[in-house]
Amino acid sequence: MKASKGKTKGFPAKARCAYNFFFKSERAKLLGESPKETKKAFFTGLTKIIGAKWKSLTPKGRQPYEREAEKDKERFVREVASFNKDQQVQV
């Protein structure tokens, strides 16, 4: 039987992609526009709406989100290097 791989305590959060940053900003806009009583029901179709908007974005429109994703990737690489360095010290 294989041992399950659990999360390593203290391991940095994975880098998010450009779509994740776009989704977060669009979700806030869309939920802010809908009445409170319909927010829960509205969420089921939210991913389809945001996904369609993402597909229709031009490369220029995606640039701000891609820059954020690149910064997050750099953060992740730094934090993983620091984590690995700390792990070697503890061994």
Side-chain angles (χ1 to χ4, degrees):
M1 201 164 168
K2 288 185 177 181
S4 65
K5 292 184 178 182
K7 289 186 177 182
T8 305
K9 188 174 182 181
F11 194 78
K14 290 188 176 184
R16 294 183 288 169
C17 66
Y19 177 75
N20 292 126
F21 287 104
F22 176 76
F23 187 92
K24 184 178 177 182
S25 70
E26 287 299 307
R27 181 178 181 268
K29 289 177 193 174
L30 291 172
L31 288 179
E33 293 172 359
S34 68
K36 287 186 178 186
E37 61 273 0
T38 61
K39 283 184 180 181
K40 191 170 187 176
F42 182 66
F43 187 77
T44 56
L46 194 60
T47 55
K48 289 181 182 180
I49 294 167
I50 294 174
K53 284 185 175 188
W54 176 254
K55 286 180 182 179
S56 69
L57 273 181
T58 63
K60 188 175 182 177
R62 290 183 182 193
Q63 279 181 347
Y65 305 105
E66 290 170 350
R67 281 193 295 266
E68 284 185 69
E70 189 60 38
K71 286 179 187 176
D72 199 42
K73 184 177 179 180
E74 291 168 3
R75 175 214 42 96
F76 177 70
V77 170
R78 275 193 319 272
E79 289 181 5
V80 167
S82 175
F83 176 81
N84 288 336
K85 189 177 179 182
D86 292 342
Q87 291 298 310
Q88 289 175 350
V89 171
Q90 290 178 3
V91 174

